[in-house]
Amino acid sequence: MTSKLLNEIVEKIRKELKGKGILACSGGTDSSVLAVASKLAVGDQILSIFVDTGLIREGERERVELFFKKFGINYKILDESKLFFEKLKGIVDPETKRKVIGQTFIELFEREAKLSEAEFLLQGTIAPDWIESGGKNRDTIKSHHNVGGLPEKMNLKLIEPLRDLYKDDVRELSEELGLNTSLQPFPGPGLAVRVIGEITGEKVEILKKVTRIVEEEIESSMKPENRPWQYFAVILPVRTTGVHGDKRSYGNTVAIRAIDSTDAMTGTFHKFEWDFLEELSTKITNEVPSVNRVVLDITDKPPATIEWE
Amino acid sequence: MKIYVVDNGGQWTHKEWKVLKKLGVDSEIVDNDINFEEIKDSDGWVLSGGAPSITNEIPKLGRISEILDKTSVPVFGICIGAQFMALHFKGEVRASPIPEFGKTKVNFFNQGGIFKEIPSEIVVWENHNDEILSISDDFKICSNSKNCKVQAFYSDKKSMFGVQFHPEVENTQYGTEMFKSFIEYCRR
C-alpha cells in the first residue's frame, strides 16, 4: 500500500505530464526518488538523464548506472566533462559558476528533449532550494543551479513534484521506495563549488581523491545515523610550504567540512575526535602528496553556509 | 483555527509555516504587502524574519503596520518582525554593535505571555544585524543576551509577543513550546 505522500507525487506527475518527458537525475536522493516515482507513475514515458560533468566524485557515474538498472528506469548517460570544463575556464565567481553550469545543463536537456520529442522537464527541486534562490523579498543567498540557473527563455515546461517537501519528507519516500537512504546530499554543480577559484582538471583530480578518503574514513568508522549531515573536502587556492622527507615542498591546502543538520536550513560543525582527525589528515597527505596542509572548517550555519560557494 | 505567516522574505519563513502545521494548525504564507483586511479568517499572525534592515528598509515590510493597528487576534513577531513591532509601538531600534549569528545563550526573567514556561537560560539560534534597544512600556522585556538587550518581549493586554531569535529552527531550545503557547493564545 503506497503512502499518501507517494500517491500525491504519482498523481501530480500523471496530471502535469503530457506526452513524453525527460528527467534530470544526478543520482542524489531527491532526483532518484523522483526517477523511481516517475517510473511508477508513467513508466518509460519519461527518460531519466544523468550528465557526467567531470565534476562528480570517483565512482559516481557507475553507482548511478547501477541504480537505473536496479529500478528498471529508462535512462541515458551523457559524457560532457570536456564541455563543462571549457565553459568554466577562467571563472572564479561562485554565482557565475552556478549560472554557467545551470545554463549548460539546460542546453543539454533542451537538446535531449528534441531528440526524444519531449516537452516536459522533471526536476527534483525541494523546499530549501527555492527558498535560497531568492524570491520577491528573499536575499539571494545562493542560486541553486537547478532553479537559479534556469535561463528565462527555457522552452521546456517544468514539473517539480517535490517542490513543497523537505529533506526529511524526501528521506521517508526514499525509504518507502527501497532506495539507499544513507546518501549524503551532493550539490547540483558538484565539485565546481568545492574548487575555490578557477576550476582546473588538476585541482578536480586532487579533490576527487581527497573526497573519497574523507567519505571512506567517515563511512567506515561511523554508522549512518551517527554520520554528519554532510562531510566533504574543499580545495583552496592557497599553496603553503611543507617538508616531505627533508625536501621543501610547496603544496595544496584542503579544508574538511562536516556539519550536523536535519534539513540544511541550519547546522553545527561536527565535533570529531582528535585522533580521528589526525588519522584522516595523515591519510590525505600521504595518499595525495600534492596536498601538504589540511584544515578544518569550524563555522556553524549561520553565519556560514554548508558549502563554501 | 488558522494562523497566517506574513512573509518578510526570511529564509526560515517556510519553517514557521511547517512548525504550525506540525502542531496541527492550519497555516498559510502570505506576502507582507497584501491588503490584510481582506483576510477575515485569521486567528493569529506570525510576522516572519527577513533580510531587510529595520534601520533603512522599512518599505520592504509592506503593510504589516496595518495588522498591528487593526488586528484583534494575537501577533507573534520573529526577528525583523519583532523589531518592526518595537519600532511601531514607539520603541528604538538600531544596527547591532555586535551582531549575533548561530548559537547564543539568552537569559529569561519575569517570564510571562507565551514565555511563561521558559527556563532562565536557554540556547537559541540568532541571525541578526540589527537589534531592539527599547520598547513602549505596555510591553514587558523578558529576555536578553550578553550582546543584545532585548531578546524577547510580550504584552498580555495586546496579546502580542516578539523574539529576536528564531524559535522555528530546532536548534533553538523551547522554540516549539513558544509556538504551542502562541497557539493557545490564538484559541482563546
Side-chain angles (χ1 to χ4, degrees):
Chain A
M1 226 291 282
T2 51
S3 66
K4 188 164 90 46
L5 192 54
L6 181 55
N7 283 332
E8 274 165 25
I9 307 290
V10 167
E11 282 324 309
K12 218 182 247 181
I13 296 169
R14 285 185 181 142
K15 196 159 99 329
E16 292 179 34
L17 180 66
K18 307 242 172 350
K20 286 205 178 148
I22 55 172
L23 187 147
C25 188
S26 66
T29 304
D30 308 342
S31 54
S32 300
V33 162
L34 184 61
V36 178
S38 301
K39 166 84 180 172
L40 291 173
V42 290
D44 292 352
Q45 200 179 328
I46 287 177
L47 175 69
S48 286
I49 296 175
F50 175 77
V51 180
D52 182 345
T53 60
L55 297 158
I56 55 178
R57 292 166 292 189
E58 279 178 5
E60 191 101 58
R61 179 190 169 130
E62 296 73 15
R63 179 181 66 77
V64 178
E65 188 151 29
L66 261 175
F67 155 70
F68 284 142
K69 288 191 170 123
K70 181 181 172 203
F71 285 88
I73 289 168
N74 178 25
Y75 75 94
K76 184 175 185 181
I77 293 183
L78 304 184
D79 201 341
E80 298 290 352
S81 35
K82 213 157 76 50
L83 171 67
F84 278 89
F85 273 87
E86 263 155 34
K87 293 246 179 173
L88 287 165
K89 207 179 252 340
I91 293 179
V92 175
D93 169 56
E95 280 305 295
T96 312
K97 282 184 191 176
R98 286 179 177 275
K99 287 260 164 53
V100 164
I101 290 171
Q103 272 146 9
T104 310
F105 264 106
I106 288 299
E107 282 156 22
L108 289 171
F109 285 123
E110 280 175 345
R111 185 190 75 191
E112 289 304 316
K114 277 200 193 65
L115 283 174
S116 53
E117 290 143 12
E119 276 175 66
F120 289 85
L121 169 65
L122 285 95
Q123 270 197 175
T125 312
I126 59 170
D129 293 325
W130 61 263
I131 286 176
E132 287 186 331
S133 299
K136 195 161 75 66
N137 296 323
R138 272 168 217 79
D139 226 356
T140 302
I141 295 160
K142 203 169 38 175
S143 54
H144 283 245
H145 94 276
N146 54 8
V147 174
L150 289 181
E152 277 53 38
K153 53 138 198 57
M154 191 188 86
N155 42 37
L156 277 173
K157 299 190 194 82
L158 200 55
I159 301 178
E160 294 177 311
L162 310 182
R163 195 171 177 70
D164 258 340
L165 302 187
Y166 267 81
K167 281 279 180 200
D168 38 21
D169 308 316
V170 175
R171 267 217 180 121
E172 274 164 42
L173 279 175
S174 183
E175 242 152 54
E176 180 182 354
L177 295 168
L179 290 166
N180 172 356
T181 54
S182 59
L183 278 179
Q184 64 168 314
F186 186 71
L191 300 179
V193 293
R194 295 178 180 171
V195 176
I196 307 305
E198 189 190 2
I199 296 160
T200 65
E202 187 220 348
K203 283 192 210 163
V204 169
E205 283 320 305
I206 292 170
L207 185 58
K208 282 184 179 180
K209 291 197 192 75
V210 177
T211 302
R212 175 179 43 77
I213 293 169
V214 170
E215 288 186 349
E216 277 171 2
E217 286 302 296
I218 286 174
E219 283 160 16
S220 61
S221 62
M222 291 180 195
K223 291 206 286 309
E225 58 276 16
N226 303 330
R227 291 174 196 160
W229 164 267
Q230 265 187 282
Y231 42 96
F232 54 89
V234 177
I235 185 164
L236 310 185
V238 170
R239 297 178 79 86
T240 68
T241 57
V243 52
H244 282 121
D246 301 331
K247 223 155 86 289
R248 191 176 173 291
S249 73
Y250 193 49
N252 288 295
T253 307
V254 293
I256 306 300
R257 177 54 153 171
I259 195 150
D260 297 328
S261 175
T262 55
D263 59 7
M265 297 304 290
T266 60
T268 50
F269 69 89
H270 187 82
K271 278 89 176 174
F272 290 108
E273 299 293 334
W274 289 115
D275 293 343
F276 174 84
L277 285 172
E278 192 166 46
E279 270 167 50
L280 176 60
S281 169
T282 306
K283 195 166 199 311
I284 289 172
T285 47
N286 287 352
E287 293 184 20
V288 190
S290 65
V291 171
N292 67 355
R293 196 172 296 271
V294 179
V295 297
L296 181 66
D297 179 353
I298 55 168
T299 328
D300 290 345
K301 168 176 184 175
T305 54
I306 294 174
E307 297 283 346
W308 279 40
E309 286 194 338
Chain B
M1 164 66 149
K2 186 166 187 179
I3 297 177
Y4 282 82
V5 176
V6 179
D7 184 11
N8 295 311
Q11 60 177 306
W12 296 326
T13 300
H14 205 271
K15 282 188 85 73
E16 288 150 19
W17 171 79
K18 191 167 186 186
V19 171
L20 289 166
K21 285 272 185 185
K22 270 214 166 116
L23 292 172
V25 165
D26 185 14
S27 177
E28 185 182 336
I29 298 176
V30 290
D31 281 341
N32 59 15
D33 54 6
I34 62 169
N35 176 354
F36 290 100
E37 268 160 84
E38 276 160 17
I39 297 185
K40 302 277 184 269
D41 63 345
S42 173
D43 299 302
W45 303 95
V46 171
L47 307 181
S48 91
S53 165
I54 194 71
T55 55
N56 55 31
E57 290 178 300
I58 301 273
K60 288 196 176 156
L61 294 174
R63 305 171 62 166
I64 56 177
S65 53
E66 289 165 24
I67 294 180
L68 299 177
D69 289 335
K70 296 177 186 138
T71 190
S72 58
V73 295
V75 181
F76 186 13
I78 294 173
C79 198
I80 193 166
Q83 290 166 7
F84 184 82
M85 283 167 78
L87 190 63
H88 185 77
F89 293 107
K90 308 289 172 280
E92 282 167 277
V93 291
R94 65 172 181 177
S96 307
I98 306 176
E100 293 174 317
F101 301 110
K103 189 181 285 187
T104 309
K105 279 206 186 82
V106 299
N107 314 302
F108 268 86
F109 43 86
N110 52 47
Q111 289 89 326
I114 65 171
F115 311 108
K116 201 186 271 97
E117 309 303 326
I118 307 300
S120 56
E121 189 190 89
I122 62 172
V123 167
V124 300
W125 222 245
E126 300 276 358
N127 195 24
H128 68 107
N129 291 303
D130 303 326
E131 62 185 22
I132 300 161
L133 258 184
S134 67
I135 188 159
S136 81
D137 36 29
D138 40 18
F139 284 88
K140 269 216 190 73
I141 296 173
C142 61
S143 175
N144 62 28
S145 65
K146 193 159 70 68
N147 299 324
C148 175
K149 269 179 61 186
V150 182
Q151 287 281 354
F153 55 85
Y154 65 93
S155 159
D156 260 325
K157 196 156 52 56
K158 295 178 185 293
S159 63
M160 285 186 181
F161 317 95
V163 287
Q164 178 57 70
F165 50 82
H166 286 270
E168 70 277 20
V169 300
E170 64 276 6
N171 314 74
T172 293
Q173 295 174 329
Y174 296 93
T176 304
E177 280 71 12
M178 291 175 200
F179 275 97
K180 253 189 216 145
S181 313
F182 177 64
I183 292 169
E184 292 319 316
Y185 266 83
C186 296
R187 283 221 164 81
R188 286 183 192 159

